[in-house]
Amino acid sequence: MRRTTRRLTAHRLAARRSTVHRLAARLLAVRPFGPAARGRAALPATEPAAATPRTGPRRRTPRSLSTTTAAVLALALTAGCSSSDGGSDDDGDDNGKRRAPGTLRVLASSELSDLSSVLKDAERATGVKIEPTWTGTLDGAQTVASGRADGTYDAVWLASNDYLRLLTGEQKKIRTETPIVSSPVALGVREAAVKRLGWEPGRVTWSDVHKAVTDGKLTYGMTDPVRSNSGYSALIALTSALSGAQSALTDADVRAASPKLREFFAGQKLTSGSSGWLAEAFARRAGQRPPVDALINYESVLLSLQRGKLLGHDGERGADSDTATTEPVAGIGDLTVIRPTDGVVTADYPLSLLTSADQDARDSYAALTRYLRSPDAQRALTRETFRRPVNSSVPPTDGIAREPRRELPFPGSRDVADRLLDSYENELRRPSRTVYVLDTSGSMDEERLGRLKAALRKLTGSDDSATGKRFRDREEVTLMPFSDQVKEVNTHTVPEREPARALDLIRADVDGLVAGGDTAIYSSLQEAYRHLGERASKAGDDRFTSIVLMTDGENTTGAKAGDFDAFYRGLSGDQRSVPVFPILFGDSDRTELEHIADLTGGQLFDAVEGSLDGAFEEIRGYQ
């Protein structure tokens, strides 16, 4: 009886919250979501009040930062919303398929996992609990535009909705969007490099950075623009600066900047599909000689790293991974944060309600966004995450520069945006070299082997596959199936012209995979490192290099974990910089695979909770 009483009480409280939220929602001014939603000019130093929620499609104008911060937006920020019970009702939650009252299912950019404490405060104040699913911003935008988010999520919380607007056009996928905080993409440079280059941080331009890179005086890390908003924002800023564009990028601007962009990306030494993982990798490389000199990332990530407050992740990625934060990453106190004076692109982190959301979700959204833009929440957000508040009454936390900065516009059309991404992927960036170490032991039954083949076939795509959906032009791909030993080693390079033949050959190798034998994980990884050493010596080229390990079981024969640890420690510095990205699948040992990822500087991807083809595709951002 007591349990029944608690459940009934919870539903009454949920109903009461719903009524309050619905009344509050009617008071909340909204503005359309659509192509013109982000027109704005240079952001003033004090970061005036953010835009009110935006709803509905409309035409787009080039973006500049100050109009986003117009004073008309301040009216919706004054009211707080709280609930007398301070709790949430989780009854009825069916593993994410059904939403409990007072719960908001949110598809969110992975870097927002650092908001956990603020969101707990929000839940206590409003009774609204967020159930996040982490993703990359561009991947999240594609999920929404394709309709896959409808019914699965109530809201989406990406770093920016700019790319989403280009994808959806006049489709009504977003009912309302509400910017919560902001952070420009900036450059973090080690103090030794700043001194070596003779830079004055307040006067550095992207052209200065390009010159330093092409002169061989600066190396850096940047996320993959195809999957991460920070990387795409950097690509837009660089293209604008190096082409001399004065407005939204055009195809002519992309063509004009391409030779210089190719020079610039030759200096990129780290890549990632995640802003947080990239910062961790940059910190790990601090002890290597020579270290990577600089990091292009969100200002908030750079400041967190500088002050030793960047939280690491649990080493696991996947469609349903919560990427729980763990201990802080070792800080880099000598990191100088530079905001290039010729322009930046800023993320405004709009929490956006999907048009498919039901009334209870709309009410929860209204209460949550109003709380998150309240002065108390804004102070906590800027203090704990080093992002800029959107409430004009709250100053940015110490260390955030307040001088005006030029905001660069997003590409004005989807065609230009996609061609810029395609140019980066297949022409401008350093090519990659990857060994796929594939478990084809006896435990890989027909169903499991079929899933593996389907996932790899998907990566062979075709020569006209969408950007990021197949092996890149110039990419070197090695398939290394193993059981009690490596069965064969097949290497293919996808040419820039007429890649179809190479893709067909890879597909044929995939179709020829046969299961049988024991499982020699560590011996096969050792063979993969030896192969990469031979390839690098023979080819003499400079590539992003990694190993992908897919296994459905535990190590049963050959080298042991200790043997592999000793082998890895004996590798040269260049070879030790090659990460292993294990995929958790079938009955594989999570602890075993996490150790491999931690040892080599890689990351574990979960294909038990998520899909195998999704894991392979997500790893593409790290290669």
Side-chain angles (χ1 to χ4, degrees), residues 105-107 131 133 143 148-155 319 354 356-357:
R105 302 166 301 174
V106 180
L107 181 64
E131 289 184 353
T133 297
T143 298
R148 296 194 305 273
D150 295 344
T152 303
Y153 306 105
D154 307 302
L354 295 174
S356 58

Side-chain angles (χ1 to χ4, degrees), residues 69-81:
T69 59
V72 68
L73 312 170
L75 293 177
L77 301 175
T78 56
C81 180

Side-chain angles (χ1 to χ4, degrees), residues 549-568:
L549 168 66
M550 198 297 302
T551 178
D552 75 331
E554 301 178 11
N555 188 67
T556 61
T557 190
K560 307 297 184 184
D563 300 326
F564 178 71
D565 290 2
F567 168 85
Y568 179 81

Side-chain angles (χ1 to χ4, degrees), residues 359-378:
Q359 186 61 54
D360 185 74
R362 298 176 205 172
D363 299 338
S364 296
Y365 171 88
L368 182 62
T369 53
R370 192 163 40 258
Y371 172 81
L372 290 174
R373 293 177 3 160
S374 69
D376 285 347
Q378 291 280 292

Side-chain angles (χ1 to χ4, degrees), residues 45-47 181-183 299-301 303-304 306-307 309 339 377-391 393-403:
T46 56
E47 293 276 359
V181 286
S182 70
S183 189
E299 174 190 64
S300 58
V301 172
L303 290 172
S304 297
Q306 179 194 67
R307 301 187 183 196
K309 293 187 177 181
R339 304 154 188 89
Q378 291 280 292
R379 279 189 286 270
L381 286 165
T382 188
R383 181 179 64 249
E384 295 180 19
T385 73
F386 296 98
R387 294 184 180 93
R388 296 169 180 251
V390 295
N391 186 329
S393 69
V394 178
T397 196
D398 292 343
I400 295 181
R402 304 190 186 189
E403 71 274 4

Side-chain angles (χ1 to χ4, degrees), residues 352-522:
S352 306
L353 184 70
L354 295 174
T355 55
S356 58
D358 64 20
Q359 186 61 54
D360 185 74
R362 298 176 205 172
D363 299 338
S364 296
Y365 171 88
L368 182 62
T369 53
R370 192 163 40 258
Y371 172 81
L372 290 174
R373 293 177 3 160
S374 69
D376 285 347
Q378 291 280 292
R379 279 189 286 270
L381 286 165
T382 188
R383 181 179 64 249
E384 295 180 19
T385 73
F386 296 98
R387 294 184 180 93
R388 296 169 180 251
V390 295
N391 186 329
S392 61
S393 69
V394 178
T397 196
D398 292 343
I400 295 181
R402 304 190 186 189
E403 71 274 4
R405 62 188 187 275
R406 182 188 177 203
E407 180 71 11
L408 297 170
F410 205 76
S413 73
R414 179 178 176 180
D415 286 345
V416 174
D418 287 346
R419 274 193 284 273
L420 180 58
L421 287 173
D422 185 72
S423 294
Y424 171 82
E425 183 89 336
N426 295 303
E427 301 171 20
L428 303 176
R429 58 162 276 162
R430 287 170 59 208
S432 59
R433 170 177 288 129
T434 306
V435 177
Y436 288 85
V437 181
L438 306 172
D439 184 349
T440 56
S441 62
S443 60
M444 286 289 289
D445 58 27
E446 183 177 353
E447 187 270 337
R448 290 180 178 179
L449 189 62
R451 289 173 62 186
L452 172 61
K453 289 181 177 182
L456 290 171
R457 282 194 208 101
K458 191 173 181 179
L459 293 182
T460 64
S462 62
D463 56 3
D464 60 351
S465 294
T467 301
K469 299 300 183 182
R470 70 157 173 85
F471 292 118
R472 305 177 184 95
D473 294 354
R474 303 175 297 144
E475 182 170 1
E476 183 181 290
V477 178
T478 296
L479 301 184
M480 188 177 284
F482 73 93
S483 54
D484 43 40
Q485 62 182 359
V486 171
K487 295 179 177 179
E488 56 185 331
V489 179
N490 297 313
T491 299
H492 305 278
T493 300
V494 180
E496 288 187 71
R497 297 179 182 277
E498 299 181 359
R501 173 171 166 73
L503 295 171
D504 286 343
L505 291 173
I506 297 172
R507 194 178 302 114
D509 288 340
V510 169
D511 291 340
L513 295 176
V514 178
D518 292 326
T519 309
I521 294 173
Y522 296 111

Side-chain angles (χ1 to χ4, degrees), residues 187-199 201 217-221 270 278-295 302 305-306 330-338:
L187 179 70
V189 187
R190 297 181 188 277
E191 185 178 347
V194 173
K195 291 180 178 178
R196 183 174 69 244
L197 294 165
W199 280 354
K217 297 179 179 179
L218 188 76
T219 58
Y220 65 93
L270 291 174
L278 181 73
E280 293 179 53
F282 180 73
R284 281 195 304 269
R285 294 285 288 267
Q288 297 186 13
R289 295 290 178 268
V292 178
D293 299 313
L295 181 65
L302 298 173
L305 184 60
Q306 179 194 67
I332 302 178
D334 68 345
L335 195 67
T336 299
V337 179
I338 294 173

